[in-house]
Amino acid sequence: MAVLAKAKEQDPKYADRFQLIVGGIEMINGFSELNDPVEQKRRFEANNIARERRDKDFLEALEYGMPPAAGLGIGIDRLVSLLTDSHSLRDAILFPTMRPR
């Protein structure tokens, strides 16, 4: 599930990830990024992901060296939901086809 996340040093069975939950809604999903090209290739192959050229380019870039990094993602729908005090993500979605009729 966390193919790009670095494994925890204390217990490699778990990924080094975090989530920020505000008002019962996940706002941010973050993790320490894996920067070991050998381990990344193994994970891609285990998940049948490394089929496309861009994944091979990504692995090659890792081989040149990647400093320790972390990433996080926040969806605009979640941010709008928080700022507008919406009780559902459906209320924050801009696309009418996704809203109930």
Side-chain angles (χ1 to χ4, degrees):
M1 197 169 151
V3 179
L4 298 174
K6 187 179 284 187
K8 284 185 152 297
E9 290 182 21
Q10 301 85 357
D11 191 352
K13 293 187 299 186
Y14 297 102
D16 195 12
R17 300 179 61 171
F18 66 91
Q19 295 175 323
L20 175 66
I21 299 175
V22 178
I25 298 174
E26 176 192 305
M27 287 291 147
I28 294 176
N29 183 14
F31 54 89
S32 294
E33 293 189 28
L34 179 62
N35 55 1
D36 179 1
V38 175
E39 175 63 15
Q40 188 67 70
K41 183 177 182 180
R42 186 192 66 74
R43 289 187 189 185
F44 278 165
E45 289 172 350
N47 290 301
N48 294 325
I49 294 175
R51 295 182 184 163
E52 299 180 25
R53 171 95 177 126
R54 67 175 183 214
D55 294 331
K56 291 177 183 171
D57 290 343
F58 176 71
L59 290 171
E60 183 180 351
L62 281 180
E63 290 174 1
Y64 284 106
M66 177 180 165
L72 62 90
I74 180 168
I76 191 70
D77 56 344
R78 296 172 190 279
L79 182 60
V80 169
S81 177
L82 176 67
L83 295 175
T84 60
D85 196 27
S86 298
H87 298 288
S88 170
L89 287 177
R90 284 192 177 273
D91 297 337
I93 294 176
L94 298 176
F95 304 104
T97 57
M98 299 297 291
R99 292 187 182 162
R101 294 179 187 207

